[in-house]
Amino acid sequence: MSYIDPDLLHGALSDVGTFITNNSATITAGGVTTATLTTKATAIETNLSSTKGIRDQKKTELTTAQKNFAASASTNYRLQRFN
């Protein structure tokens, strides 16, 4: 299985939705139902959005925890160095 960057996929799906909207007449003339494409693309984008939000929150929490950990180490190092 190959790797796909989920952030790139999320952005691409937004572009796909815009493409479908802007080219609906041509797509329909080609025998494809644009509503079906839009529904599928929207479902994928919605799923990615929900998991992306959770991931982004965890990244924020990790950044804060790492800063607190580094600050604690720095404080404790200074305290121990002079004792």
Side-chain angles (χ1 to χ4, degrees):
M1 186 172 147
S2 63
Y3 175 77
I4 179 133
D5 184 320
D7 290 304
L8 291 177
L9 179 59
H10 184 257
L13 282 165
S14 178
D15 293 341
V16 166
T18 301
F19 177 83
I20 293 168
T21 299
N22 292 345
N23 296 284
S24 63
T26 304
I27 294 169
T28 302
V32 178
T33 305
T34 57
T36 302
L37 292 176
T38 300
T39 299
K40 288 181 179 185
T42 300
I44 295 167
E45 186 177 9
T46 298
N47 180 267
L48 284 171
S49 291
S50 67
T51 55
K52 181 180 185 306
I54 293 166
R55 188 271 324 253
D56 290 349
Q57 179 61 38
K58 296 295 182 191
K59 285 173 76 173
T60 300
E61 290 171 8
L62 178 59
T63 299
T64 301
Q66 181 60 33
K67 286 179 183 176
N68 291 342
F69 181 56
S72 177
S74 179
T75 298
N76 284 302
Y77 175 76
R78 280 194 310 270
L79 291 174
Q80 292 302 317
R81 199 175 75 189
F82 295 112
N83 286 334

